[in-house]
Amino acid sequence: MSDMNFDEDLSGEGKKEDKPKLIIDGKRLDGRDFEELRPIKIEAGILKRADGSCYLEMGRNRVVAAVYGPREVHPRHLQDPSRAVVRYRYNMAPFSVEERKRPGPDRRSVEISKVSREAYEPVIMKELFPRSCIDIFVEVLQADAGTRTACLNAATVALVDAGIPMKGLITSVAVAKVDGKLVLDPMKEEDNYGEADVPFAFLIRNGKIESIALVQMDGMMTIDEMKKAIEMAKKGAMQIYELQREAIMKKYHAEDIEE
Amino acid sequence: MGEEILMDIKRDYVLSRLRDGERIDGRKLDEIRPIEIETNIISKAEGSALVKLGDTQVIVGIKMQPGEPFPDVPDRGIIITNAELVPLASPTFEAGPPDETSIELARIVDRGIRESEAVDLTKLVIEEGKNVWMIFIDIHALDDDGNLMDASALAAISALLNTTVPAERFGLGDDFPLPVRNLPVAITSLIVNDLYLVDPCRDEMSVGNKLITITSDKNDNIVAMQKSGSYLLKEEKFYELIDVSVRKAKEVREILKEI
């Protein structure tokens, strides 16, 4: 132990040697500014059988969310007599990534499912539906970094589409550090070769960010950078929030006219 | 049923003491329980450590063997982290395949070590692209009196610091000490209303599972973070938690340097 050198400077070491440059002339590889989101497309109510559903594209991510419930809990012993049980299943299609992913839950998706569920649990008004469950299923059809954030954004719209009462909307976006700079909503290359990745999800109520529903991080960042990252994420989240609202309005507005 | 009533009583007790600004075991809000680290306790393992964090006890064993590198990083050794919450450690743990809690635990410990680049994986290549050293970090909980997370992370880095690469056994030259060059320390806090309790013990956990783990390295960089549990975190609290976690990690790191 005594002969080990802990004063060695680690910045710029390790996996970063042979990485491509990710910021060229102040622009990102796909031409975006540092604080710019990827193009987002959201459509509510795209599945017939589910009680609520949503299709979402965020850059090259393509995800589908479906909500079933409130419905009976199976297996029954999971029932809670005082509130609804919330379940969240994040799943990647085998063809969603470069190298085929073995079907079924792996450790990564188990963890993502857990933290995502924990983001919704305090937001969904579970007390209104005792002994029942609300199932949220999200499927990643094509992955290009930030799938958990894309899925959360889709799940929110699907929950609203299913008519589940909530205290507000969950909106999620990540911030990464690449080539020493903070960037919003990283894409695959930035995620792979970047120095840090921080996915956030916020509870937005009445058009205002109220609290943090999810935060994870891996990589290396100073305390100051972390504080800047959250500011950047909040701005991005507000833009996504508007798109989520638009998607919901669009579906329900159209239905009104038909009547 | 008896267990549940007991939990209610404990929760009331924890909360009533907190109203007077006290923790049930007399600690300050940001005070960590006494830490004891014993290393090299398993001679069959390449490295090992038993960590006692108050009454919480975790043992980590390191095993190493040559194996094929991951195709995308042919010039790096491999770290595989696993956690077993064996039923002997708590009346609530059950035998069987790892559940989401143990998967999350292993992944948070893993991220701290990986992202701080604590182990110099470039020095663990036997033949590039073909043969590298694989490090298996196995976390074995012995007694869960709360905050297995920090105890496990501490046991893992302690064990790595005392690991010898078993080159001789595999006919690959002389044994050598595992190159460790950073000291990630995880600090977990329990959020209770407007307060947070650093290093919560099991009885304090009766107020709920609202946790956040922030891992920082020897240069006070944040290297991993995870909000765990169903709750919403206020942004101001988040900033405070980052500061306190980095500060407490420094204290723990001093103990780690002495082993």
Side-chain angles (χ1 to χ4, degrees), chain B residues 3 9 14 17 29 31 42 49 54 90 108 128 132 184 206 208 214 228 230 236 245:
Chain B
E3 184 81 2
I9 295 169
V14 171
R17 288 287 297 269
L29 297 183
E31 189 177 336
I42 309 288
S90 162
I108 297 174
E128 188 170 326
V132 298
S206 62
I214 298 173
S228 174
S230 311
E236 315 83 67
S245 305

Side-chain angles (χ1 to χ4, degrees), chain A:
Chain A
M1 168 81 213
S2 53
D3 58 327
M4 280 174 202
N5 176 19
F6 289 109
D7 301 322
E8 189 187 346
D9 182 23
L10 296 173
S11 53
E13 259 200 74
K15 62 188 170 196
K16 290 136 216 162
E17 299 139 25
D18 34 83
K19 76 169 177 67
K21 254 183 95 74
L22 296 167
I23 293 176
I24 300 165
D25 299 332
K27 289 268 185 200
R28 296 157 74 178
L29 289 185
D30 53 3
R32 274 188 293 160
D33 288 329
F34 299 159
E35 301 208 10
E36 194 177 338
L37 293 166
R38 289 175 285 188
I40 295 175
K41 189 183 141 188
I42 311 177
E43 199 177 333
I46 47 124
L47 303 176
K48 182 166 163 248
R49 296 297 304 277
D51 297 310
S53 59
C54 174
Y55 171 74
L56 185 141
E57 294 181 6
M58 200 165 160
R60 279 185 292 180
N61 288 307
R62 278 149 185 51
V63 307
V64 182
V67 170
Y68 285 85
R71 64 176 178 181
E72 261 184 74
V73 193
H74 291 289
R76 283 192 103 113
H77 66 88
L78 295 177
Q79 266 188 12
D80 186 329
S82 58
R83 60 182 73 86
V85 174
V86 175
R87 294 188 287 206
Y88 190 103
R89 182 179 191 264
Y90 166 99
N91 188 47
M92 285 178 99
F95 49 78
S96 63
V97 276
E98 205 76 40
E99 199 163 325
R100 179 175 184 267
K101 188 204 161 285
R102 246 172 54 148
D106 55 7
R107 291 160 64 93
R108 175 178 166 277
S109 37
V110 169
E111 188 197 353
I112 291 176
S113 300
K114 177 182 187 283
V115 291
S116 304
R117 184 192 72 228
E118 289 172 346
Y120 282 108
E121 274 174 335
V123 174
I124 292 173
M125 296 175 156
K126 307 191 295 276
E127 297 73 16
L128 298 177
F129 309 104
R131 288 180 302 278
S132 65
C133 80
I134 295 162
D135 279 307
I136 307 164
F137 302 117
V138 292
E139 294 287 328
V140 178
L141 304 179
Q142 182 169 290
D144 192 70
T147 54
R148 80 195 66 184
T149 62
C151 288
L152 283 161
N153 291 330
T156 295
V157 174
L159 280 161
V160 175
D161 186 36
I164 305 287
M166 292 190 284
K167 293 175 186 158
L169 298 193
I170 295 281
T171 299
S172 177
V173 70
V175 172
K177 184 179 165 190
V178 298
D179 291 355
K181 294 266 192 302
L182 294 179
V183 297
L184 185 66
D185 188 22
M187 53 169 180
K188 191 77 207 159
E189 291 80 355
E190 293 169 333
D191 189 30
N192 280 3
Y193 302 107
E195 294 105 71
D197 180 26
V198 199
F200 286 100
F202 301 101
L203 168 65
I204 305 186
R205 274 179 90 165
N206 303 323
K208 270 187 22 217
I209 290 185
E210 208 172 84
S211 46
I212 303 169
L214 174 148
V215 56
Q216 293 181 280
M217 184 263 186
D218 61 350
M220 210 182 263
M221 259 189 192
T222 63
I223 297 177
D224 269 1
E225 283 169 334
M226 184 58 71
K227 293 179 180 174
K228 285 189 190 120
I230 187 169
E231 287 308 323
M232 191 184 265
K234 280 164 68 182
K235 279 189 211 157
M238 284 313 295
Q239 296 172 42
I240 298 173
Y241 169 76
E242 288 304 328
L243 297 171
Q244 286 174 309
R245 277 181 56 108
E246 261 174 44
I248 295 159
M249 300 292 222
K250 195 175 162 200
K251 183 185 170 197
Y252 288 95
H253 185 69
E255 278 183 7
D256 285 347
I257 293 170
E258 276 163 31
E259 273 168 22

